[in-house]
Amino acid sequence: MVSRSYSNLLGRRRIPRVVTASGIVPDLDYSDDDAASAASSSDHSSAHSHAPRERAIIVANQLPIRASRRGGGGGGWEFSWDEDSLLLQLRDSLRAHADRADDMEFVYVGGLRDDVPAAEHDEVAHHLLEGFRCVPTFLPADLRSRFYHGFCKQQLWPLFHYMLPLSPELGGRFDRALWQAYVSVNKIFADKILEVISPDEDYVWVHDYHLMILPTFLRKRFNRVKLGFFLHSPFPSSEIYKTLPVREELLRSLLNADLIGFHTFDYARHFLSCCGRMLGLKYESQRGYIALEYYGRTVTIKILPVGVHLEQLRSVLNLPETGVKVAELLKQFCDQNRLMLLGVDDMDIFKGISLKLLAFEQLLMQHPEWRGRVVLVQIANPARGRGKDVKEVQDESYAMVRRINEAFGQPGYQPVILIDRPLQFYERMAYYVVAECCLVTAVRDGMNLIPYEYVIARQGNEKLDGILGLGPSARKKSMLVVSEFIGCSPSLSGAIRVNPWNIDAVADAMDSALEMPEGEKVLRHEKHHKYVSTHDVGYWANSFLQDLERTCLDHSRRRCWGIGFGLRFRVVALDPNFKKLAVEHLVSAYRRTTTRIILLDYDGTLMPQTSFGKSPSSKTIDMLNSLSRDQNNMVFLVSTKKRSTLEEWFSSCDNLGLAAEHGYFLRLKRDAEWETCVPVTDRSWKQIAEPVMKTYTETTDGSTIEDKETAIVWSYEDADPDFGSCQAKELHDHLESVLANEPVTVKAGLNHVEVKPQGVSKGLVAKRLLSIIRENSLLPDFVLCIGDDRSDEDMFEVITTAAQDNCLSPDAEVFACTVGRKPSKAKYYLDDLADIVRLIQGLANVSDEMHSTMPTPVDAADTALR
């Protein structure tokens, strides 16, 4: 079996083989603890005495391998490294970083460009692993076509480059069969990773949009897998992305990674906006890092453009054939007193070749002085995709080249030279060396390293300086005209940035690049060279791996388990002491105690936050009445609502205590008077806050103001989430500024900003009740507090520390419980409102049962209330 040879060759502790067929995901009930136990017991005898090397499993659509048949196709296979592959370059370039010189091992998982017959799979896999540390994923030809040329290139690729499928000709319409092929291939990749991964030790780094579902399959199998993902393409704005029918599946899968990388802040911003608008997630900056909290897990966002492999470029520049080619180009152009403008692009619809040609045509029309002096050399690499659009781009480009050459050509002068044959890398570098300016006018591109390569080539070396006739002290120069819509643009501050759709502006940029003073060209080049030479592919890879390690540091300290089915699967990660409140345990404690305090939040606890009507149902009223009639109970509803609203809603609850406006007002029973938990303050500050809030309400569609007796709330629940959040931050700062000398606090909550008196919180209610009981020489022996949001955390904190303050019985049972599995000061959680209703109803039933079969005891709690 191939998997057995993988285990033997890798020489690392391995999990047992659980995948027996390609594309089948293993048993999802197999937990992390089971995996660790199995790995430890099965491999104990063969474990090395020394600590294993750190290892990264690099996963991508294609392996960094070139394959060919021996003897013209009839013999076996020959394999070699693909020196142009980024995956290989990141490994080799990392050696330049001292902290990772030789202490990390790399294993590659991916596909081959060539079809390998099924009978040769085992032999090829064994050879690639033994000789190259590569694990191939063999895909049937039909499945690979539907996956790559179908879903990836017809649906994801156009959409991520802002092309909507408005018609069958403009990008492929969503095809469920192609989506299924995409999912199936991602499963196959997951199976291959399972064969070689050591989940407690290895880091997994997944690359690009071909494998966006892969994080879910890996997280299902190993809840604590150390997983990073880097997207090498653009990520579109939410308005474009939300047209994708499987938008949530892709987002949730990416969020199953620990670290998600993007080339630019724009791409990251669009991703975060999608998470906010479609999943309701908020992000925050944590000491310079952007992070999302996703079910207790911290998902970090990394923004860093990839760089070039400096050593490879410099070695190519040193090749003899590069010098020969440079001399040939000098004779062809410079000796003829001609300047070269250079474009290097793939022949596809997003590279803007036709726009570049139109701009060059405009340059020659508007500036006759450049005719006969400037030549545009356009190197057109073969397109990676296929289809009608590629053929149209080729035909249009050829036609435009013919037109320009016919209009402006002269004897011995051809304005545009289109090179559509494959060039050796040294030939391309030679063109860079000679070109006066490099033009990159793509209409949308994830990164594009052509400008970086051009800068390194123009820096040259001593040998090339001799060919170019430059002295030892000569300062190098270069000029770049780059599109605003490519990933490398933000890092090239010395380039002339253009909108490629604006033909006149691009033509003017070409003219500016040619006319620019030599000294300025030198300064721009030196600025670019300093950045490119220090931010190479090794710097990028090292930075990503360092952040991945940092993000995964707390994996072993968290309790993890999976929830959800299919592609909606996610992992909840919580503190080890945080556990679900067991009804049996609660009921048992309830039965054996006699002085009980029960504190219940309303919105989000007894009533869904999204409910349109907020008034309680008759079932809720009956349940609270049953619970509060127990004379051993002090039951309080703690809400942010106004007291008049609570009085109206719970008028039929005789023994239910109410706390309104975060506990500012407190009423022990229906017939009791309202009291304040803090001294009444002057509320003249409202005259300052309300006009400010009205200004933001008028400019924020969907926002509202709620004026309470002691507080005032600006809510943007129905506004655009991004605009509402932005306005809320501005309003928060504005209010803090104008209310700086007032006895109030400005708090930002979920979809609202609130101004309230200083010192008011729900924790005051808990403190006040404990104080009332202690004044009557009683100590509660049962405390239950349930809430769902940040405002309830104050109550949790008070009741969990009450025993230390001698406010509770020494053997008191304390249950602080939040709604949902999320970080909290509470020790317990319940999954949802249905669980809470069942729990409260169960306690009410126990009270009814106990008091129907036993004499009523002395009413200790009621004595305290009176």
Side-chain angles (χ1 to χ4, degrees):
M1 295 290 290
V2 175
S3 60
R4 185 173 300 136
S5 68
Y6 285 174
S7 299
N8 294 339
L9 287 166
L10 289 173
R12 297 283 301 275
R13 290 182 295 158
R14 284 288 161 261
I15 59 170
R17 173 70 184 270
V18 293
V19 181
T20 57
S22 208
I24 305 300
V25 178
D27 184 2
L28 301 184
D29 295 329
Y30 191 81
S31 70
D32 276 356
D33 294 337
D34 296 335
S37 175
S40 177
S41 61
S42 64
D43 296 319
H44 177 75
S45 61
S46 61
H48 294 292
S49 59
H50 58 79
R53 292 170 63 193
E54 207 172 31
R55 192 174 72 170
I57 300 176
I58 309 296
V59 191
N61 178 45
Q62 290 187 343
L63 291 170
I65 293 291
R66 296 185 187 276
S68 60
R69 282 284 195 183
R70 296 193 194 99
W77 289 92
E78 290 184 346
F79 300 101
S80 62
W81 288 114
D82 181 359
E83 301 293 339
D84 295 332
S85 171
L86 175 68
L87 307 184
L88 181 64
Q89 292 175 2
L90 73 85
R91 184 200 70 179
D92 293 343
S93 190
L94 270 174
R95 301 185 195 281
H97 294 265
D99 52 342
R100 291 189 184 275
D102 294 307
D103 63 346
M104 177 164 276
E105 175 188 359
F106 288 88
V107 175
Y108 295 99
V109 177
L112 292 169
R113 294 178 178 84
D114 302 88
D115 290 325
V116 178
E120 300 179 70
H121 282 183
D122 285 0
E123 178 186 354
V124 168
H126 183 89
H127 179 71
L128 286 176
L129 185 69
E130 187 177 39
F132 298 89
R133 314 297 281 176
C134 290
V135 180
T137 55
F138 299 111
L139 302 178
D142 176 61
L143 179 62
R144 183 170 64 181
S145 177
R146 285 183 287 121
F147 157 71
Y148 183 75
H149 294 291
F151 192 78
C152 290
K153 284 300 182 181
Q154 290 182 20
Q155 296 182 3
L156 283 184
W157 176 259
L159 187 76
F160 279 24
H161 288 75
Y162 288 73
M163 178 180 285
L164 289 174
L166 300 177
S167 68
E169 291 77 25
L170 297 174
R173 294 281 174 85
F174 181 78
D175 186 331
R176 183 67 59 174
L178 298 182
W179 163 246
Q180 293 296 339
Y182 183 81
V183 174
S184 297
V185 169
N186 276 251
K187 286 181 180 180
I188 293 173
F189 272 78
D191 295 343
K192 287 298 180 183
I193 296 170
L194 293 181
E195 293 179 356
V196 297
I197 190 174
S198 181
D200 294 331
E201 300 165 0
D202 295 344
Y203 294 92
V204 181
W205 187 358
V206 181
H207 289 263
D208 223 1
Y209 65 96
H210 314 90
L211 302 172
M212 292 175 72
I213 294 297
L214 184 55
T216 288
F217 294 125
L218 294 179
R219 189 69 65 186
K220 276 181 180 179
R221 187 60 179 81
F222 300 113
N223 292 167
R224 294 183 179 88
V225 65
K226 303 169 184 177
L227 179 58
F229 181 93
F230 198 95
L231 184 68
H232 293 274
S233 78
F235 196 94
S237 71
S238 60
E239 291 300 307
I240 298 293
Y241 180 79
K242 71 182 181 182
T243 64
L244 186 64
V246 290
R247 60 192 188 185
E248 285 196 20
E249 289 87 338
L250 291 178
L251 285 180
R252 292 188 184 278
S253 183
L254 288 180
L255 291 170
N256 276 321
D258 296 296
L259 179 65
I260 307 173
F262 300 92
H263 287 305
T264 72
F265 175 69
D266 274 349
Y267 304 160
R269 177 169 55 86
H270 294 156
F271 172 76
L272 293 169
S273 176
C274 289
C275 289
R277 290 174 177 271
M278 297 164 207
L279 303 180
L281 300 178
K282 302 288 185 181
Y283 69 91
E284 59 183 12
S285 180
Q286 298 179 350
R287 295 188 177 183
Y289 295 95
I290 300 175
L292 287 159
E293 286 295 325
Y294 187 60
Y295 291 90
R297 291 176 49 249
T298 299
V299 181
T300 303
I301 306 301
K302 175 78 172 175
I303 302 168
L304 185 66
V306 70
V308 292
H309 188 1
L310 287 175
E311 294 306 314
Q312 182 197 38
L313 297 181
R314 288 167 178 164
S315 64
V316 172
L317 289 173
N318 276 317
L319 294 175
E321 49 263 47
T322 304
V324 172
K325 184 65 178 179
V326 168
E328 177 186 319
L329 294 175
L330 288 174
K331 184 177 180 180
Q332 180 180 355
F333 294 99
C334 298
D335 290 356
Q336 303 297 321
N337 195 29
R338 286 175 186 151
L339 299 174
M340 182 200 299
L341 301 180
L342 179 65
V344 181
D345 305 278
D346 292 345
M347 185 68 82
D348 70 40
I349 57 176
F350 298 113
K351 293 302 188 285
I353 294 178
S354 59
L355 296 176
K356 186 187 304 179
L357 292 171
L358 286 173
F360 184 67
E361 183 179 38
Q362 187 85 336
L363 173 72
L364 297 179
M365 291 173 61
Q366 294 179 349
H367 300 276
E369 68 272 16
W370 292 121
R371 299 175 191 175
R373 288 199 57 207
V374 176
V375 177
L376 172 61
V377 176
Q378 177 63 55
I379 299 173
N381 302 317
R384 301 179 189 180
R386 62 189 184 190
K388 180 181 177 182
D389 54 349
V390 174
K391 184 68 167 59
E392 289 176 348
V393 169
Q394 290 174 335
D395 292 344
E396 182 183 22
S397 299
Y398 293 144
M400 292 179 67
V401 169
R402 285 195 300 270
R403 186 182 73 218
I404 295 171
N405 286 339
E406 289 172 0
F408 302 101
Q410 302 171 7
Y413 170 65
Q414 189 177 347
V416 181
I417 299 175
L418 179 63
I419 303 174
D420 57 0
R421 63 176 177 83
L423 290 181
Q424 297 291 328
F425 191 34
Y426 79 86
E427 294 180 279
R428 194 168 88 199
M429 292 297 289
Y431 276 99
Y432 289 147
V433 170
V434 177
E436 184 71 15
C437 177
C438 183
L439 311 172
V440 183
T441 57
V443 296
R444 190 72 61 177
D445 207 350
M447 182 56 196
N448 201 313
L449 294 175
I450 298 301
Y452 288 9
E453 294 177 354
Y454 170 70
V455 168
I456 297 299
R458 291 288 287 183
Q459 186 67 19
N461 54 43
E462 290 184 6
K463 185 173 70 173
L464 291 176
D465 288 350
I467 298 173
L468 294 168
L470 299 176
S473 60
R475 298 174 67 185
K476 309 302 172 61
K477 62 179 182 177
S478 64
M479 274 308 302
L480 284 166
V481 175
V482 300
S483 165
E484 299 170 352
F485 305 115
I486 61 177
C488 66
S489 177
S491 62
L492 297 171
S493 57
I496 301 176
R497 298 192 184 104
V498 295
N499 174 3
W501 300 100
N502 188 337
I503 304 303
D504 290 335
V506 178
D508 290 342
M510 293 179 183
D511 181 59
S512 297
L514 293 169
E515 293 280 9
M516 187 171 292
E518 298 295 301
E520 187 171 345
K521 292 181 182 180
V522 168
L523 293 175
R524 290 174 183 250
H525 169 78
E526 289 175 349
K527 186 174 186 179
H528 290 158
H529 183 260
K530 181 179 179 181
Y531 176 85
V532 174
S533 60
T534 55
H535 292 72
D536 66 341
V537 66
Y539 174 89
W540 168 77
N542 188 57
S543 179
F544 188 91
L545 290 170
Q546 281 183 339
D547 281 357
L548 182 58
E549 290 173 7
R550 179 190 54 81
T551 303
C552 299
L553 280 177
D554 68 341
H555 276 198
S556 60
R557 295 187 284 106
R558 311 281 272 174
R559 290 175 59 237
C560 299
W561 62 93
I563 60 174
F565 297 98
L567 296 178
R568 299 182 70 85
F569 175 88
R570 61 266 190 205
V571 164
V572 176
L574 298 172
D575 187 273
N577 297 320
F578 193 54
K579 52 191 175 182
K580 187 169 184 177
L581 181 56
V583 177
E584 299 80 5
H585 178 43
L586 184 70
V587 168
S588 174
Y590 188 84
R591 286 182 182 278
R592 63 175 179 267
T593 52
T594 57
T595 306
R596 312 184 192 102
I597 296 179
I598 299 174
L599 304 172
L600 302 173
D601 174 46
Y602 185 69
D603 283 325
T605 301
L606 297 179
M607 177 63 61
Q609 289 278 15
T610 56
S611 176
F612 188 77
K614 296 291 187 178
S615 60
S617 65
S618 58
K619 181 180 178 180
T620 301
I621 296 291
D622 292 342
M623 179 180 65
L624 293 174
N625 264 329
S626 297
L627 194 62
S628 59
R629 274 197 297 265
D630 189 326
Q631 295 178 352
N632 291 328
N633 293 345
M634 296 176 66
V635 183
F636 272 81
L637 192 70
V638 186
S639 174
T640 60
K641 300 292 184 186
K642 294 188 288 190
R643 56 178 172 173
S644 59
T645 302
L646 296 181
E647 284 178 333
E648 177 186 349
W649 286 354
F650 299 100
S651 59
S652 61
C653 297
D654 293 340
N655 298 307
L656 179 67
L658 297 175
E661 301 192 22
H662 290 285
Y664 188 93
F665 295 108
L666 179 65
R667 191 184 75 177
L668 300 179
K669 283 189 174 184
R670 189 180 68 173
D671 297 332
E673 294 293 326
W674 285 94
E675 62 176 276
T676 58
C677 291
V678 295
V680 178
T681 60
D682 177 20
R683 296 170 192 163
S684 60
W685 55 265
K686 283 191 174 184
Q687 298 173 12
I688 303 173
E690 189 170 7
V692 175
M693 286 188 174
K694 283 183 177 179
T695 300
Y696 284 80
T697 303
E698 291 169 0
T699 57
T700 310
D701 188 34
S703 63
T704 58
I705 298 175
E706 182 182 5
D707 189 2
K708 302 177 182 180
E709 290 182 67
T710 63
I712 185 168
V713 181
W714 184 79
S715 172
Y716 61 96
E717 186 176 3
D718 297 325
D720 178 272
D722 284 343
F723 184 57
S725 176
C726 178
Q727 291 288 81
K729 292 175 184 176
E730 289 292 326
L731 175 61
H732 183 276
D733 293 343
H734 195 162
L735 289 171
E736 280 196 330
S737 175
V738 299
L739 298 172
N741 297 321
E742 301 294 334
V744 295
T745 58
V746 184
K747 293 286 187 181
L750 181 63
N751 297 328
H752 73 268
V753 175
E754 182 174 19
V755 184
K756 61 181 181 180
Q758 290 177 349
V760 175
S761 72
K762 289 185 178 181
L764 288 175
V765 178
K767 287 182 179 179
R768 178 62 179 146
L769 291 178
L770 292 171
S771 174
I772 290 173
I773 294 181
R774 187 164 58 177
E775 289 169 2
N776 287 272
S777 301
L778 297 173
L779 293 176
D781 53 5
F782 178 96
V783 182
L784 171 64
C785 180
I786 306 178
D788 76 302
D789 63 20
R790 288 183 185 178
S791 64
D792 301 308
E793 296 294 315
D794 295 324
M795 289 196 295
F796 299 153
E797 186 174 12
V798 169
I799 67 168
T800 52
T801 59
Q804 303 170 10
D805 300 332
N806 299 318
C807 294
L808 303 179
S809 172
D811 56 351
E813 301 276 4
V814 178
F815 301 92
C817 180
T818 189
V819 182
R821 291 181 271 196
K822 59 178 182 287
S824 173
K825 294 176 182 176
K827 185 177 178 180
Y828 300 96
Y829 72 90
L830 289 170
D831 284 325
D832 50 33
L833 273 65
D835 277 356
I836 295 170
V837 171
R838 284 193 292 268
L839 180 77
I840 301 300
Q841 187 63 61
L843 296 181
N845 293 340
V846 170
S847 288
D848 292 341
E849 173 195 327
M850 292 171 63
H851 288 79
S852 64
T853 58
M854 297 175 61
T856 303
V858 176
D859 186 4
D862 192 54
T863 299
L865 290 177
R866 290 200 297 268

